[in-house]
Amino acid sequence: MAEELKVQVIDHPLIQHKLTLMRKKETGTKDFRELLEEISMLMTYEITRDFPLEDVEIETPVAKCTGKQLGGKKVGVVPILRAGLGMLSGVINMIPAARVGHVGMYRDPATLKPVEYYCKLPKDVAERTLIVVDPMLATGGSADAALSLLKQKGAKSIIMMCLVSAPEGIRLLNQHHPDVPLYVAAIDERLNDKGYIVPGLGDAGDRIFGTL
Ligand code: PRP
Ligand code: URA
């Protein structure tokens, strides 16, 4: 029986089109960054679809009426450094009141294990819904460690949003963080022997920041 991965693939045509442009090796830093920001905005629109609303009494220039506004928990956005920074502006363009936390995590190139080097979060992390962003979910080690760290710091409500994923990374998050809804724009075939996603888009951090 085929294995069931617990993940929501956001396959909106605009996202798929823009992702294909990002994957092309000839796409330069400026376009890559802009496309990632645009996709992050579109993905944020989708992942917030079920956010609760509450009634609010307002007055338009014409009449009083009952409008809707976001209710429920306030939002925090947590990019996993470095590449997650490429998704941050897209999310906060959509949710400007969100607070931002940062988790620094890099993957040791030899062991592929995550190494934590920075963590700064809003004080009220336990009261917020955190949207953790990282374009690449490969082995899943970095996201797994970041989610564990956030939980250790008190986070109770977390959503994980990635651009390109490999089955290995999804599987790891499903095992270790079944409580965290996972959204991706694509599930690729596999990892290569260097832990890169195939076909993927290469090293996301290097393509965002031009450090190739
Ligand atoms: C990349 C990416 C993820 C991680 C994914 O970061 O942004 O954080 O690799 O790989 P994993 O799922 O196997 O852990 P990288 O370590 O290249 O650091 P950078 O963002 O600073 O470039
Ligand atoms: N990190 C990246 O930036 N790309 C990959 O394909 C895997 C990990």
Side-chain angles (χ1 to χ4, degrees), residues 80-83 105-107 112 117 134-143 203 205-206:
I80 302 179
L81 306 180
R82 218 178 18 147
M105 210 54 87
Y106 74 87
R107 204 169 68 145
L112 300 183
Y117 61 91
D134 191 331
M136 308 307 278
L137 181 67
T139 64
S142 305
D203 188 304
D206 284 345

Side-chain angles (χ1 to χ4, degrees), residues 68-209:
K68 299 279 184 198
Q69 66 182 15
L70 287 170
K73 286 178 184 256
K74 287 182 278 186
V75 174
V77 189
V78 182
I80 302 179
L81 306 180
R82 218 178 18 147
L85 286 175
M87 299 178 80
L88 177 62
S89 57
V91 182
I92 54 179
N93 283 347
M94 294 290 97
I95 315 175
R99 294 286 164 91
V100 180
H102 293 85
V103 170
M105 210 54 87
Y106 74 87
R107 204 169 68 145
D108 183 297
T111 63
L112 300 183
K113 297 286 175 221
V115 182
E116 182 200 328
Y117 61 91
Y118 189 74
C119 180
K120 182 81 180 173
L121 301 171
K123 282 203 177 60
D124 56 352
V125 80
E127 276 86 60
R128 290 181 181 266
T129 292
L130 300 183
I131 303 176
V132 181
V133 292
D134 191 331
M136 308 307 278
L137 181 67
T139 64
S142 305
D144 179 24
L147 294 175
S148 297
L149 178 65
L150 292 172
K151 289 178 182 177
Q152 193 190 312
K153 301 278 183 189
K156 308 241 173 337
S157 166
I158 313 180
I159 297 168
M160 180 86 214
M161 181 167 108
C162 302
L163 185 67
V164 180
S165 63
E168 291 86 337
I170 298 171
R171 213 172 280 132
L172 190 75
L173 295 195
N174 284 178
Q175 279 165 7
H176 292 182
H177 303 283
D179 54 315
V180 175
L182 172 61
Y183 294 87
V184 302
I187 305 176
D188 280 10
E189 278 166 36
R190 62 185 171 86
L191 299 178
N192 68 14
D193 57 2
K194 292 193 171 64
Y196 276 87
I197 299 176
V198 181
L201 46 71
D203 188 304
D206 284 345
R207 295 196 67 184
I208 293 165
F209 296 109

